[in-house]
Amino acid sequence: MERDDTGRAGAERAGLEQTGLERRTQVRRWRRAATAAVGMVVCLATAPVGHAAEGARGAVPHAGRPSPAPDTVWSSRDAAAFWTSERMAAAAPPDGDTPASPAAPPTGSTPASSAAPPKAGSPAPSAAVKAQRAATAQHFDGIRSVGVLFSVDGDARAHHCTASVVHSPHRNLILTAGHCNPGTRAAFVPQYRSGAQTQPYGVWAIGDTFAYPERGTSGDGADLDFAFATVAADEDGRSLEDVTGGNTLSPTPGYTNDITVVGYPNVRNDPQDRAVRCATRTARLTGTRQLRMDCGGFYGGTSGSPWLRDFDEESGTGRLIGLIGGLNGGGPKGPNSDRTSYSPYFGGKIFALYARASQA
């Protein structure tokens, strides 16, 4: 569900700010990126993208090795210089197209403790699960271990997904949904502040991405809808995790968990352009090996939002047991789709991918 139809103008404005050889070199790079993006978008055109995504990005070709970085000299210094407050604002305009209105939502869910999908005719949601549906996420100032992904694709720009910092040996990893693949000039902005001239924890260049090629938003591929990315050190040589802290990647302990979810809805859907959070309880998504949670306010742009167990207010971190992603890109189709979100179940597959990404 690509919704950025004004991107080309943003790219042209950025091009006008460059001169001479630098401008011509950049144009050539962007044309190559645009050509690649078109090919990847064609491949993804038939895949459904859910309410939580602000538009799928190009495919990551191999899980066993990283995708090539969009620019081998792209550094966090470059990212901070490129992603000015003006460009960030242009990447999330308040006007533009209207979010799509998909079809009716899938069947509800009940909590479960086993891994096998329940049979048809499962009991209706319990009173506790129904009560969770009335919850609504609250705006707040955000936490430093969660932020926004910005990138430039073939048609220019996008504030498209949420990501979180994951503890790793090199202290340089973030985690997001698998359908939130960065484009060129990709950057991660922890604890993003809309309109701020200086972001509180900087702007960090995204390098290599790691995802399963068979991931998707339907069928078995939806169980693999997660991706890691490396982040370059800042100008002072500090790693991202040294600055923000990191969440601990943990196996999903079961289908019923008390969690805190933090995400960044796109300004098209939430004009405040601020972080939202919700403390809620998970349940099983009927007929799948995935989880669901019920809390309103998780609109487009919140794909990749971490599901944190044992969240610590002081450090702003917790145990990362899920994220908004999976079936339909992270939620049901239909009216009020922001009220329910899905997550893949974190098991052996995500830890195998983490092991590869951790070596980068």
Side-chain angles (χ1 to χ4, degrees):
M1 173 167 30
E2 287 294 339
R3 298 196 282 241
D4 285 331
D5 58 0
T6 59
R8 192 174 307 281
E12 292 170 354
R13 287 194 299 271
L16 289 174
E17 297 172 3
Q18 300 176 10
T19 60
L21 179 60
E22 178 188 359
R23 181 177 183 277
R24 293 194 296 274
T25 301
Q26 189 61 61
V27 168
R28 287 195 295 271
R29 288 174 179 166
W30 283 18
R31 284 175 177 168
R32 289 196 295 269
T35 301
V38 168
M40 292 183 286
V41 168
V42 169
C43 294
L44 291 169
T46 59
V49 179
H51 76 301
E54 194 53 41
R57 303 296 158 207
V60 177
H62 300 287
R65 63 177 184 272
S67 64
D71 187 335
T72 56
V73 299
W74 181 240
S75 69
S76 289
R77 182 175 183 175
D78 296 328
F82 183 85
W83 286 107
T84 61
S85 59
E86 291 79 11
R87 276 204 177 99
M88 288 182 188
D95 54 0
D97 45 10
T98 302
S101 298
T107 309
S109 64
T110 56
S113 57
S114 63
K119 297 180 180 179
S122 299
S126 66
V129 171
K130 289 179 180 178
Q132 291 295 329
R133 290 177 179 165
T136 301
Q138 301 297 309
H139 290 99
F140 78 124
D141 288 337
I143 56 177
R144 59 185 181 271
S145 68
V146 180
V148 171
L149 295 179
F150 285 92
S151 68
V152 175
D153 64 13
D155 270 337
R157 78 280 187 279
H159 158 347
H160 62 282
C161 280
T162 299
S164 59
V165 185
V166 182
H167 176 64
S168 64
H170 297 301
R171 307 177 71 80
N172 66 341
L173 282 188
I174 58 174
L175 175 67
T176 189
H179 64 271
C180 292
N181 313 304
T184 59
R185 302 297 187 201
F188 173 65
V189 184
Q191 200 167 351
Y192 164 71
R193 297 287 179 86
S194 178
Q197 290 299 312
T198 303
Q199 293 298 322
Y201 295 98
V203 178
W204 302 74
I206 294 175
D208 297 322
T209 55
F210 298 79
Y212 284 103
E214 62 268 34
R215 78 200 183 289
T217 55
S218 64
D220 292 341
D223 292 334
L224 303 174
D225 190 21
F226 40 73
F228 294 95
T230 58
V231 176
D234 69 6
E235 293 183 58
D236 298 322
R238 297 177 301 175
S239 69
L240 174 65
E241 193 179 337
D242 288 339
V243 174
T244 63
N247 299 294
T248 303
L249 185 67
S250 303
T252 305
Y255 289 103
T256 305
N257 305 279
D258 291 320
I259 59 169
T260 297
V261 183
V262 177
Y264 284 86
N266 188 279
V267 71
R268 289 180 195 75
N269 305 301
D270 184 349
Q272 290 201 38
D273 199 22
R274 296 178 64 201
V276 296
R277 67 181 288 174
C278 186
T280 187
R281 178 168 291 180
T282 67
R284 187 176 199 153
L285 178 60
T286 298
T288 74
R289 196 173 178 268
Q290 297 185 22
L291 292 82
R292 65 174 286 162
M293 67 95 174
D294 294 283
C295 185
F298 287 92
Y299 297 99
T302 60
S303 282
S305 297
W307 294 20
L308 302 172
R309 195 166 184 250
D310 302 326
F311 179 71
D312 180 76
E313 293 285 351
E314 184 175 350
S315 67
T317 62
R319 295 188 176 277
L320 212 171
I321 65 165
L323 55 75
I324 293 182
L327 183 64
N328 299 329
K333 297 180 178 181
N336 304 315
S337 59
D338 66 288
R339 296 179 183 177
T340 301
S341 301
Y342 305 152
S343 171
Y345 199 100
F346 285 5
K349 285 288 190 177
I350 194 169
F351 280 92
L353 189 64
Y354 170 79
R356 290 193 284 272
S358 294
Q359 297 173 10

